[in-house]
Amino acid sequence: MTEAAWIEAALSGARPQAMGALLRYFRNLDTAEEAFQEACLRALKSWPRNGPPRDPAAWLIMVGRNAGIDAARRVSRQQALPDDEAAVSDLEDAESDLADRLDGSHYRDDLLRLLFTCCHPDLPATQQIALALRIVCGLSVREIARAFLVSEAAMEQRITRAKGRIARAGLPFETPNAADRAARVGAVAAMIYLVFNEGYSARAAQAGAHNDLCHEAIRLGRLLLRLFPTEPELMGLLSLMLLQHARAAARFDAKGEVVLLEAQDRGLWNAQAIGEGLALLDKAMRHVRSGPYQVQAAIAALHARATAPDDTDWAQIERLYATLERMEPSPVITLNRAVAVSKTAGPEAALAVVEPLSGPLANYFHFHGLRGGLLAQLGRSREAAEAFGRAIALAGTPAEAAHIRQHLDRLALTGQNCTD
Amino acid sequence: MLYALLCYNHEDVVCGWSEAEDAAVMEKLAAVQDGLRAERKLGPVARLMPTSSAMTLRKDQEPPIIVDGPFAETKEALLGFYILDCVDADEALEIAKRLGEANPGGSYELRPVRMFQPNSAAAG
């Protein structure tokens, strides 16, 4: 790894903790962010010359705090102070040790406050995600905008609005009680999984940003689990993301089109990520306190464990989806169960599960895709073609539409064979 | 003399490497390892999963209790280890420096090994 790459990794690794501490000092997101940026600039000058500090986060907190205080003084005096770079580059280990002692004890609270701030209950999910990616992960506005396929100006505005709302609502500096805390941790976990799903979606893949977002979500998941190391649902969340992301290299072909699970080259799956996901799930299940993330991770684990599509334990997957339906009733989960039913009990049984969903999922691409597929298997070609047509109309990406078109072509071929 | 070389680093940093960065570091380390292997100085090498996957059995009480997470919450976590066969401490330190050039950041702790059983568990 080059020096520049190492420094960049150290800066982004230290970022959440340093931002959390600076937010505690300055109680304002913008000031904390500016102080952190300034500390990073000085690190880029000082670290190559003096070597990396033993504790990058403590260094950044110390330097960022001083920079923030100087900036405030300059503003209040309306005049520039002499450049104090020399003082900074001479920062003694003793000083950084002091910062370390001051901040080490706050580590957990600082990080939690930072995460809770980004997941403030007053903010809509889209703003929570944008803010977390900007503030905690340090992605640039341009990178976030690209991942969400919006203009940079629109994303800038979204983040500014989010900050404005937080400033008006007041930062959560009090320690929340146990019930509040659980709800807020749940909100942070939900935000992290939304970031992951955004990255996992075909839409982000087309923008070339899918790995970035999945990577950031996994990092945030690790961070949150480290704060609550005994919480099985957070183990489940990290396990779920690792198991799903393990398939990243196999999910798209050379043309960028989606490769379905059944057709993926399982040799491209990331064995290390699968290993970690399985270990975390194993650990979570020992707590015997199940939850939606653990159940979804268990489903992903059954896919990951199958060395070939035919080895998939669909009966167990069907049971797990049924469990998930009881925990979080949703037509999309029922639709997923229908896929498992089609493998264990055939297309007719699956269609019986699918048909009642026609109301709530009328505008859902995958509903029409699956329904078309089941109808085709049952030889009801005309209805299948209608369903596929509906799916194409609702496809979110050209790749999704192309995939359904293949089904339609196959249908047309078999139709010809019948008439021949 | 056998030495254990214990690898400590900030987990936030190492876990934050992108796949490409991770692969680049591993490739550089592999080059050093190949040299050590050829010199017959390299024993088992292990890279550990993140501490979030760890469990700790506290056996200083009866019955022992199982705690999620690593034994100690330290800033720099134990992320892997090597077993090296060196003539003396100087050589062990020299090897540690070579590995450190391939993978800067963090620390290596060198500890002479008191007892070593290679055994034969299948590699993962």
Side-chain angles (χ1 to χ4, degrees):
Chain A
M1 196 180 275
T2 62
E3 189 174 61
W6 189 88
I7 289 177
E8 199 186 317
L11 290 178
S12 79
R15 182 182 176 104
Q17 193 196 341
M19 273 297 295
L22 292 170
L23 187 62
R24 165 162 49 84
Y25 288 130
F26 297 117
R27 301 203 165 205
N28 175 290
L29 275 175
D30 282 325
T31 316
E33 225 183 340
E34 280 155 24
F36 182 77
Q37 300 294 2
E38 183 58 35
C40 286
L41 286 177
R42 296 189 192 189
L44 288 173
K45 280 191 209 163
S46 157
W47 293 3
R49 205 166 50 221
N50 302 335
R54 191 177 152 77
D55 187 340
W59 194 100
L60 291 166
I61 293 166
M62 183 81 189
V63 172
R65 198 186 58 157
N66 291 344
I69 291 169
D70 285 351
R73 279 199 203 120
R74 269 201 300 276
V75 168
S76 65
R77 289 183 196 166
Q78 295 294 314
Q79 63 181 35
L81 288 177
D83 189 351
D84 56 354
E85 199 213 312
V88 169
S89 55
D90 286 343
L91 192 77
E92 295 290 334
D93 271 356
E95 250 184 298
S96 130
D97 279 352
L98 178 70
D100 206 23
R101 275 203 303 283
L102 284 173
D103 292 297
S105 58
H106 289 290
Y107 175 80
R108 199 182 137 85
D109 285 345
D110 283 349
L111 275 176
L112 271 181
R113 186 182 306 110
L114 188 67
L115 291 169
F116 288 171
T117 300
C118 293
C119 293
H120 200 285
D122 286 359
L123 298 180
T126 50
Q127 290 185 11
Q128 291 183 6
I129 293 172
L131 201 59
L133 289 172
R134 179 73 206 97
I135 301 287
V136 188
C137 304
L139 262 59
S140 69
V141 174
R142 177 199 295 241
E143 287 170 314
I144 306 170
R146 191 183 63 149
F148 289 86
L149 297 180
V150 301
S151 72
E152 215 173 315
M155 185 51 73
E156 183 81 61
Q157 200 179 32
R158 188 183 294 179
I159 292 170
T160 309
R161 270 203 204 117
K163 284 181 181 165
R165 279 197 192 194
I166 286 171
R168 281 193 298 280
L171 285 172
F173 275 93
E174 79 290 3
T175 314
N177 63 37
D180 264 6
R181 201 178 172 108
R184 286 182 149 179
V185 172
V188 175
M191 178 276 289
I192 292 172
Y193 195 44
L194 282 174
V195 171
F196 182 83
N197 279 327
E198 194 58 45
Y200 197 74
S201 73
R203 211 159 57 96
Q206 289 206 311
H210 55 308
N211 278 335
D212 296 352
L213 289 188
C214 290
H215 189 72
E216 293 306 333
I218 288 170
R219 263 179 59 171
L220 288 171
R222 281 191 206 290
L223 195 66
L224 191 60
L225 179 56
R226 198 114 41 86
L227 296 174
F228 298 95
T230 62
E231 180 46 63
E233 267 297 82
L234 299 182
M235 298 174 201
L237 172 62
L238 181 55
S239 167
L240 172 61
M241 295 192 293
L242 286 165
L243 290 171
Q244 289 185 326
H245 190 52
R247 301 198 290 259
R251 287 184 59 229
F252 298 94
D253 65 16
K255 283 181 280 177
E257 295 188 3
V258 181
V259 181
L260 292 185
L261 190 56
E262 290 173 343
Q264 287 173 13
D265 175 359
R266 293 177 184 226
L268 294 175
W269 290 1
N270 180 337
Q272 281 191 13
I274 290 175
E276 192 186 346
L278 294 177
L280 282 164
L281 179 63
D282 200 10
K283 221 172 83 148
M285 300 220 299
R286 293 179 34 84
H287 287 261
V288 203
R289 271 197 291 132
S290 195
Y293 294 123
Q294 289 171 78
V295 174
Q296 291 174 83
I299 293 169
L302 287 170
H303 287 300
R305 283 204 171 100
T307 44
D310 287 346
D311 298 337
T312 312
D313 186 350
W314 286 106
Q316 183 64 14
I317 290 177
E318 186 195 332
R319 280 192 290 277
L320 287 167
Y321 272 120
T323 305
L324 198 57
E325 265 180 300
R326 280 195 298 278
M327 288 174 173
E328 290 187 326
S330 131
V332 172
I333 291 167
T334 308
L335 191 72
N336 278 305
R337 182 166 62 82
V339 175
V341 170
S342 78
K343 306 283 184 186
T344 55
E348 194 149 12
L351 198 61
V353 178
V354 167
E355 292 294 8
L357 308 173
S358 60
L361 297 183
N363 294 313
Y364 191 59
F365 165 79
H366 293 289
F367 167 77
H368 297 284
L370 177 62
R371 186 165 170 273
L374 295 171
L375 287 166
Q377 284 182 54
L378 290 167
R380 292 157 68 175
S381 307
R382 200 183 46 81
E383 291 165 274
E386 266 176 37
F388 285 141
R390 189 90 189 91
I392 288 175
L394 291 166
T397 65
E400 280 181 349
H403 178 72
I404 296 292
R405 249 179 235 115
Q406 285 176 4
H407 281 293
L408 263 179
D409 292 348
R410 229 171 284 150
L411 210 58
L413 279 176
T414 48
Q416 272 168 11
N417 291 341
C418 290
T419 49
D420 278 350
Chain B
M1 168 76 82
L2 289 178
Y3 279 85
L5 184 146
L6 310 175
C7 316
Y8 288 87
N9 206 341
H10 290 273
E11 216 175 359
D12 295 331
V13 174
V14 175
C15 289
W17 289 346
S18 70
E19 277 161 39
E21 285 166 346
D22 196 285
V25 173
M26 290 307 128
E27 199 184 315
K28 279 190 164 184
L29 283 175
V32 181
Q33 289 163 12
D34 286 345
L36 293 171
R37 205 173 285 120
E39 296 165 51
R40 301 186 66 81
K41 294 187 188 304
L42 188 66
V45 179
R47 187 176 182 192
L48 307 179
M49 284 187 190
T51 54
S52 51
S53 62
M55 291 183 291
T56 303
L57 183 81
R58 308 220 62 138
K59 57 191 177 66
D60 52 359
Q61 48 198 296
E62 193 53 52
I65 58 163
I66 299 161
V67 188
D68 286 305
F71 165 63
E73 281 292 342
T74 48
K75 293 211 151 186
E76 289 170 287
L78 176 65
L79 302 182
F81 60 83
Y82 295 80
I83 300 290
L84 302 168
D85 190 1
C86 308
V87 281
D88 54 17
D90 281 348
E91 187 180 54
L93 285 165
E94 186 267 324
I95 292 174
K97 280 182 194 157
R98 273 157 69 188
L99 288 164
E101 279 164 22
N103 180 18
S107 310
Y108 288 139
E109 177 180 330
L110 284 158
R111 287 266 286 277
V113 172
R114 178 168 163 173
M115 192 265 275
F116 178 60
Q117 293 182 339
N119 299 325
S120 60

